Amino acid sequence: MTWQRFCDYLTGIPSVGLTLDISRMNFTEQWLEEMETRMQEAFSEMAELERGSVANRDEKRMVGHYWLRAPELAPLGLGAEIEATVSAVKKFAAGVHAARHYTDVLSIGIGGSALGPMFVADALGHPSTDKLRLWFLDNTDPDGIARVLAQIHGRLEQTLTVVISKSGGTPETRNGMILVQNAYRNCGLDFARHAVAVTMHGSALDKQAVAENWKARFEMFDWIGGRTSQTSAVGLVLAALQGLDIDALLEGARLTDAATRNPVTRQNPAAMMALMWHHATNGKGEKDMVVLPYKDRLLLFSRYLQQLIMESLGKQFDLDGNVVEQGIAVYGNKGSTDQHAYVQQLRDGVNNFFVVFIRVLEDGGSTLEVAPGIRAGDYLDGFYLGTRKALTEKARQSMTITVPRVDARSVGALIALFERAVGLYANLVNINAYHQPGVLAGKEAADEVLKWQVELLSALTREPQSPAELAPETPPEAAYLILEHLAANGRARKTGDSPSTAKFSLPD
């Protein structure tokens, strides 16, 4: 890689101080020229989406996360609703802070209702500046829920609970809410007086919040998907309560959106990044994306990107109905922890990946020298440069996103950059980035399993029986596994040492 190549292909967004270096990706100038026509088509398709076309054809809805930070671009008068929501969020958070009653916020949500808020809270929070402490329940694991509740034990009276679910029927969120309601009740507290709903107007959760007179309700718009909801009420309510600068978060995203609408491909970092994903994976997901931010505050970014990228791009069919089995697998850690984790394989093992480094220029923290002329942050930057060099020496491709610091503005910019790159890449490979039929299939399968469980529980007697005897219509493996779980939790009694000899009965 040459200095000239670095200079030629460095692009960025001056208004937010972000740059993208793709010089260590193994593309050619000829390849870029060959992709230009398709890229221009992708820009046109993206422009149609922003004008309000029905981009999610399965659910017959628009896709409008870009309008959240530029309400003036929203069609159908939606801009006023967006502005009213942001204003209501600020007013509510200010009132909570002024009252000085609450010390903690408990968020209950999953997927896009948790990953974005968790990332932003960790990236921008600090014990010395946070106005309220944030806790998250993002699963239906009763042990995990108990662990979080134990950490706020004795403070539920001072804990505001925010329940986030677009449909209001997400099982994991509903289960967490029921257990939290019970915890409030056991403390002699009225859950509704401490509860906030973020959901779609008219949803089951919205109706419950109205009926029980919850403390507050905020609308999650129908045209916002979970994985692109961080700049909606989903993310803004929690960020505002924590005391983060939501105006700066929105501004960073807005400026990045404006820059990445630019149809001049070489001047558009989101377009160049989407093209690099296409080149690295042959437009077919043939390589994984490894996200390595060299900053502790960005540790959760790879988890956030897993959903944004994999749920958006992991599709069986293209827009013409052809079976394509698209997607890009995403995983990541943080630098320099990766030096002691999987960089060994990245450098010397199977070459089935490309790396997205994220570099932060300002160190923050202590300025103490740990060696003459060397600070701790110098080591961190040195490890980034060294790792990049070591990978390049073995023909391992990488690109680097650089931001000046981790603040609300740069975090908003990173979120918007990847949202745009995902949309453009989906256009390049002709898939729908805004639906998730596989997620629905998994939920339906889980519902079927729970139905089998109810049937098995009702079939248990004092007489030990095999899974097949208890439920002849249920697949035997599934019946055994359900019964094994019930027995482990004292809800059935198991005899026999193997699946073939196991019998189950009512517990003693």
Side-chain angles (χ1 to χ4, degrees):
M1 301 303 164
T2 66
W3 169 249
Q4 190 58 52
R5 183 175 172 86
F6 171 78
C7 294
D8 288 346
Y9 293 113
L10 186 71
T11 186
I13 306 173
S15 58
V16 293
L18 181 149
T19 62
L20 172 69
D21 168 21
I22 59 170
S23 63
R24 292 172 187 250
M25 300 294 291
N26 297 332
F27 66 94
T28 64
E29 181 66 23
Q30 180 181 349
W31 181 83
L32 278 182
E33 293 172 358
E34 291 170 353
M35 291 295 294
E36 181 60 18
T37 298
R38 187 68 193 99
M39 192 72 243
Q40 290 303 316
E41 292 171 352
F43 284 135
S44 296
E45 291 164 13
M46 182 65 72
E48 285 296 314
L49 178 147
E50 290 203 70
R51 281 193 286 268
S53 66
V54 177
N56 188 333
R57 301 175 188 176
D58 288 3
E59 299 176 16
K60 296 181 173 58
R61 63 176 175 84
M62 301 180 294
V63 174
H65 47 280
Y66 299 110
W67 308 329
L68 295 169
R69 44 267 189 168
E72 69 278 5
L73 299 181
L76 307 176
L78 295 175
E81 295 181 35
I82 297 168
E83 292 172 341
T85 297
V86 174
S87 178
V89 167
K90 292 179 181 178
K91 182 178 179 180
F92 176 72
V96 169
H97 297 154
R100 296 183 177 274
H101 174 76
Y102 290 105
T103 58
D104 298 81
V105 176
L106 176 61
S107 173
I108 306 175
I110 195 168
S113 297
L115 292 168
M118 291 171 76
F119 159 57
V120 170
D122 189 54
L124 301 179
H126 193 281
S128 68
T129 56
D130 289 351
K131 294 186 177 181
L132 297 175
R133 290 181 294 257
L134 261 60
W135 307 90
F136 291 90
L137 298 182
D138 67 335
N139 204 353
T140 186
D141 178 2
D143 181 50
I145 293 170
R147 289 180 66 194
V148 173
L149 289 175
Q151 294 182 80
I152 52 178
H153 180 70
R155 299 199 306 276
L156 273 182
E157 168 65 29
Q158 290 79 44
T159 299
L160 190 66
T161 295
V162 181
V163 185
I164 308 171
S165 173
K166 183 175 182 179
S167 67
T170 308
E172 298 93 337
T173 303
R174 176 181 173 275
N175 295 348
M177 181 183 69
I178 290 172
L179 295 183
V180 170
Q181 281 178 312
N182 187 62
Y184 275 88
R185 190 179 304 115
N186 290 341
C187 292
L189 300 171
D190 179 5
F191 174 73
R193 290 183 58 246
H194 306 272
V196 176
V198 180
T199 187
M200 199 162 61
H201 179 71
S203 73
L205 177 60
D206 188 49
K207 292 176 181 177
Q208 179 181 355
V210 171
E212 297 176 0
N213 194 27
W214 284 22
K215 189 174 186 69
R217 293 180 297 127
F218 295 94
E219 185 175 1
M220 185 176 182
F221 302 117
D222 171 65
W223 35 268
I224 295 295
R227 57 187 175 273
T228 56
S229 65
Q230 180 54 38
T231 54
S232 74
V234 169
L236 297 183
V237 169
L238 295 171
L241 288 169
Q242 188 178 356
L244 306 181
D245 188 346
I246 65 172
D247 286 329
L249 183 79
L250 291 168
E251 178 70 358
R254 185 188 69 81
L255 291 171
T256 300
D257 288 341
T260 55
R261 289 188 186 100
N262 186 349
V264 180
T265 303
R266 304 298 183 92
Q267 298 174 7
N268 186 327
M272 295 301 281
M273 187 158 67
L275 284 168
M276 292 305 101
W277 296 358
H278 192 287
H279 184 269
T281 68
N282 198 26
K284 299 176 181 178
E286 293 176 357
K287 291 196 174 185
D288 301 339
M289 182 190 304
V290 182
V291 180
L292 294 180
Y294 274 65
K295 200 67 175 176
D296 285 4
R297 287 181 178 270
L298 299 180
L299 171 63
L300 298 183
F301 194 42
S302 60
R303 289 185 62 198
Y304 165 75
L305 290 179
Q306 279 180 331
Q307 186 194 19
L308 175 64
I309 295 171
M310 296 176 72
E311 195 170 88
S312 297
L313 303 183
K315 302 297 161 63
Q316 182 179 12
F317 299 101
D318 67 13
L319 293 175
D320 299 319
N322 301 308
V323 175
V324 291
E325 295 183 339
Q326 273 287 356
I328 300 176
V330 179
Y331 61 95
N333 199 346
K334 66 175 182 180
S336 64
T337 300
D338 62 276
Q339 305 288 139
H340 306 278
Y342 46 69
V343 162
Q344 169 61 36
Q345 176 168 317
L346 297 185
R347 185 178 187 275
D348 293 341
V350 58
N351 190 358
N352 63 345
F353 66 92
F354 64 99
V355 173
V356 178
F357 289 110
I358 303 176
R359 183 187 187 210
V360 180
L361 294 177
E362 293 182 12
D363 295 334
S366 175
T367 59
L368 180 70
E369 290 190 354
V370 296
I374 304 295
R375 300 175 180 176
D378 299 330
Y379 267 102
L380 186 64
D381 199 49
F383 280 130
Y384 149 69
L385 292 169
T387 300
R388 188 181 66 148
K389 179 176 181 293
L391 294 179
T392 300
E393 289 172 349
K394 286 298 191 78
R396 311 304 163 100
Q397 299 184 78
S398 71
M399 66 185 83
T400 297
I401 299 166
T402 300
V403 294
R405 64 194 67 84
V406 178
D407 59 11
R409 189 182 176 97
S410 63
V411 167
L414 286 171
I415 289 170
L417 178 72
F418 276 88
E419 285 178 347
R420 181 77 63 170
V422 163
L424 290 172
Y425 180 87
N427 291 339
L428 287 174
V429 298
N430 194 37
I431 60 171
N432 182 353
Y434 306 108
H435 70 160
Q436 47 282 331
V439 175
L440 178 60
K443 291 178 180 178
E444 291 174 344
D447 288 342
E448 185 175 32
V449 168
L450 294 174
K451 178 184 175 184
W452 292 337
Q453 176 174 306
V454 171
E455 294 170 352
L456 285 163
L457 279 168
S458 65
L460 287 171
T461 66
R462 294 294 177 187
E463 178 185 354
Q465 299 176 76
S466 71
E469 290 171 328
L470 285 165
E473 301 300 320
T474 300
E477 181 188 17
Y480 172 79
L481 293 174
I482 292 168
L483 289 162
E484 181 184 46
H485 177 252
L486 291 172
N489 287 278
R491 301 161 73 188
R493 183 171 180 269
K494 177 187 176 186
T495 59
D497 297 327
S498 69
S500 61
T501 61
K503 293 195 174 184
F504 297 87
S505 59
L506 287 170
D508 296 331

